[in-house]
DNA sequence: CTGAAAGCGCTAACAT
DNA sequence: ATGTTAGCGCTTTCAG
């Protein structure tokens, strides 16, 4: 049955009722239909392969059933996992999900946000590429479209909701574990912290620990050459102290693994290793890499649920939600 | 400026022109406007923070600017990579992307497809969970909505486009490499092949190789217990022949790594290992795992570009596009 | 319980 | 070059 242009009117004609009744049937309205008409309508719909047109409906009801996620970088394994959580909550509520990939480019992010605004999304989950709100983001806010920030904040303490890892807690958990394992020197490997509050928070927490425990010697940025990390590790290993590398996330860990392979150091014999994040390969590399797992799936789910709640109750004040990491001890620090 | 309900009519009034002129301005129509009116319109739009309403536009033009991707399982690392490719092509063409996650559940997939149909997507990229076309999928086809299958076919040689890895070629590449490296026994580890033609194609290619090279001794399904794999490997290792494990994808490899860790075998000393797929951790596990890389990003891009092409030219006949894998030799097979 | 009619915001003839 | 008008397909008063 060719349903290219089957409209509610066609169905109505076929069922010998008014378009209004078909609409009522479709929406299961209270003021019920007689069983007879309902039947005829159902039948007509089946026979004609009718599919309601969501645009027309949206135009009238001002609800699109569309949520959007704009991620900083799709190729970071953090994102798909969070996305999975968002998707499941969104779908349970009958929403579809539009996805945007900013590719770590602020102007691209801005363009995406503008497009989504025109698409009349009902809510947005944003892992922002920018420190400060762009024009399109503000425009979205002014239109009263609920926005949930994840992973990273925007404009510091803003008036937007935020769901993110408790970065300070995660770092202190990691450092605590390393200290307990007898490591007395730490090399912290991180991405350049600009543009991502989460990175900055982690790095700050690492630095702050120096006051209570003067063990952190080096912070290496991933924008340095790989050789720089090899050298940094090599330098510290001349000491007699036990040394560990702590990585700010999974991608930074791959970078560190490269250096460790190049340097030929034994883990955990000569060098400890752990990371924030718990990718699926963590148990299998070097016999298992100790991790502070982020509750990524749950984080996405929470964000989406909160967003959906806010869509229904716009008045509730924004809040910051910090999810705890979970220490998973493996061979690389034992 | 509160732009909740700024319409083209409001802008028109403010700019003292007709709605039609504003529309013309928005769409950069040929029959040009005088620089003066254009200016007034631009100004009015700025001042009022006007955002065109995509639904209304779609309703009229019958173009939604929406593409959809429905993936079998978002948590498989294959998907985000392909998605990235699709996203970049879609965005370049000004389309937004709706994403659906079937979670390996056919009925969930069917529900998603129906929702997308109502959303009036202009095209669909589908990694199907089902062997055969569901009602909603057929309905989509009958409505003339272009569909690109990726990774897996549906209904065998169907009348839908397909973009996928050249599985036979990939397997023969892998086997050829193993043979050249002196391995004389192969254990093939795969997911249960039901519901995914790609898995079946790979397994068939492995089995077919037996006629020319009687080296493949065991095929282990991931639905067996982990212990089964340990046992299978243990059994074969009593031989004096060189043995390798070949995994059908990254997830199966994690499973095999578990067994290898449990068995305590040295790679590549006692046991070779390689896989189809090249996840970001491949270089770092066991000193590097030999891979046949899938061109995932390119696969997504090709699929999206072909889809966009088909949207413009519905008449072109469907075709099957097979992308070659690429052998990346690492330590695990040397 | 059901129908008639008025739009939602936009575009595309058709006029002028 | 610009304005008028008639819908796109649906929901929703308001009557009956």
């Amino acid at each position: 049955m060719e349903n290219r242009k089957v409209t509610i009117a066609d169905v109505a004609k076929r069922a010998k009722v008014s378009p209004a009744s078909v609409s009522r049937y479709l929406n299961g309205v209270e003021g019920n239909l007689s069983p007879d008409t309902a039947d005829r309508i159902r039948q007509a719909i089946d026979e004609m392969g009718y599919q309601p047109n969501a645009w027309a409906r949206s135009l009238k009801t001002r609800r699109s059933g569309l949520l959007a996620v704009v991620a900083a970088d799709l190729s970071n394994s953090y994102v798909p996992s969070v996305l999975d959580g968002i998707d499941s909550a969104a779908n349970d509520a009958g929403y579809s999900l539009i996805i945007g990939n900013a590719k770590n480019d602020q102007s691209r992010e801005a363009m995406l946000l503008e497009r989504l605004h025109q698409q009349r999304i009902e809510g947005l989950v944003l892992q922002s590429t920018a420190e400060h709100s762009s024009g399109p983001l503000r425009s979205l806010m002014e239109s009263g479209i609920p926005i949930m920030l994840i992973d990273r904040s925007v404009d510091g303490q803003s008036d937007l909701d935020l769901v993110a890892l408790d970065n300070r807690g995660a770092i202190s958990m990691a450092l605590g574990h390393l200290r307990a394992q007898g490591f007395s020197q730490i090399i912290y490997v991180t991405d350049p912290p600009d543009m991502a509050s989460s990175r900055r928070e982690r790095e700050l927490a690492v630095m702050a620990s120096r006051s209570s425990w003067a063990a952190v010697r080096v912070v290496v940025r991933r924008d340095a050459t790989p050789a720089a990390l090899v050298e940094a590790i090599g330098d510290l290993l001349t000491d007699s102290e036990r040394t560990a590398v702590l990585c700010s996330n999974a991608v930074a860990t791959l970078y560190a693994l490269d250096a460790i392979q190049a340097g030929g150091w034994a883990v955990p014999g000569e060098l400890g290793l752990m990371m924030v994040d718990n990718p699926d390969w963590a148990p299998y590399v070097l016999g298992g890499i100790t991790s502070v797992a982020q509750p990524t799936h749950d984080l996405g789910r929470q964000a989406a649920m909160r967003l959906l709640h806010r869509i229904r109750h716009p008045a509730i004040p924004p809040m910051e939600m910090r999810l705890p990491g979970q220490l998973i001890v493996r061979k690389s620090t034992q």
Side-chain angles (χ1 to χ4, degrees), chain A:
Chain A
M1 179 60 61
E2 179 65 20
N3 51 20
R4 283 221 85 154
K5 30 171 67 163
V6 181
T7 81
I8 211 172
D10 301 326
V11 175
K13 203 172 301 172
R14 174 127 183 176
K16 296 189 187 305
V17 297
S18 75
S21 292
V22 179
S23 172
R24 290 190 187 102
Y25 171 81
L26 255 22
N27 297 296
V29 171
E30 288 301 304
N32 251 313
L33 315 137
S34 75
D36 178 52
T37 33
D39 254 13
R40 293 214 312 285
I41 293 173
R42 173 176 19 265
Q43 199 175 355
I45 288 178
D46 278 6
E47 291 172 358
M48 313 183 76
Y50 168 73
Q51 294 279 5
N53 183 324
W55 308 331
R57 196 196 312 250
S58 296
L59 191 56
K60 192 71 197 173
T61 62
R62 308 171 151 286
R63 306 196 340 100
S64 64
L66 254 27
L67 258 35
V69 182
V70 173
D73 178 14
L74 243 182
S75 66
N76 184 327
S77 68
Y78 170 87
V79 173
S81 177
V82 172
L83 190 59
D84 194 16
I86 296 173
D87 174 87
S88 71
N91 260 295
D92 290 355
Y95 280 82
S96 292
L97 215 57
I98 297 188
I99 196 195
N101 183 11
K103 300 192 176 183
N104 288 321
D105 176 342
Q106 300 187 215
S107 64
R108 196 180 161 89
E109 177 183 301
M111 192 209 312
L112 288 168
L113 293 179
E114 185 158 9
R115 187 137 78 211
L116 294 169
H117 195 160
Q118 302 186 180
Q119 224 93 248
R120 293 298 191 270
I121 53 169
E122 287 186 53
L124 169 70
V125 178
L126 174 64
Q127 179 196 26
S128 179
T129 298
E131 284 282 17
H132 298 290
S133 51
S134 58
L137 178 56
R138 274 193 302 274
S139 168
L140 237 14
M141 294 168 62
E142 282 161 11
S143 295
I145 293 169
I147 298 172
M148 301 287 310
L149 263 20
I150 55 168
D151 186 41
R152 310 164 177 186
S153 62
V154 167
D155 292 334
Q157 296 295 354
S158 80
D159 40 348
L160 294 175
D161 289 85
L162 172 65
V163 182
L165 176 69
D166 171 11
N167 288 302
R168 258 207 333 242
I171 289 296
S172 108
M173 203 177 270
L175 256 18
H177 168 71
L178 290 173
R179 171 138 62 162
Q181 293 297 311
F183 290 99
S184 51
Q185 282 191 141
I186 309 296
I187 300 175
Y188 182 65
V189 180
T190 179
D191 292 272
D194 36 298
M195 309 288 100
S197 65
S198 50
R199 290 177 197 159
R200 207 170 34 249
E201 285 175 7
R202 288 177 204 172
E203 182 165 340
L204 281 175
V206 169
M207 303 312 256
S209 74
R210 286 174 151 170
S211 57
S212 60
W213 182 40
V216 178
R217 292 294 168 77
V218 186
V219 172
V220 180
R221 302 279 159 73
R222 284 214 309 116
D223 50 354
T225 65
L229 180 50
V230 178
E231 192 182 318
I233 296 175
D235 284 357
L236 264 69
L237 280 186
T238 58
D239 271 332
S240 63
E241 308 199 59
R242 290 201 64 202
T243 303
V245 172
L246 171 60
C247 299
S248 64
N249 62 37
V251 181
T253 304
L254 292 177
Y255 172 82
L257 283 169
D258 204 10
I260 290 171
Q261 216 161 85
W265 295 295
V267 173
E270 301 175 87
L271 189 66
L273 176 64
M274 79 175 288
M275 64 175 146
V276 178
D277 265 2
N278 184 37
D280 52 9
W281 44 267
Y284 307 112
V285 177
L286 302 174
I289 299 178
T290 298
S291 305
V292 177
Q294 290 201 57
T296 46
H297 190 277
D298 197 46
L299 192 151
R301 227 191 133 72
Q302 297 283 355
M305 284 172 52
R306 190 160 175 79
L307 182 63
L308 289 165
H309 185 70
R310 179 173 283 288
I311 288 172
R312 305 205 85 80
H313 309 284
I316 53 174
M319 60 168 278
E320 192 175 310
M321 189 168 177
R322 290 291 177 167
L323 271 38
Q326 188 197 350
L327 179 66
I328 300 174
V329 179
R330 298 201 180 92
K331 203 175 144 212
S332 69
T333 54
Q334 302 198 296

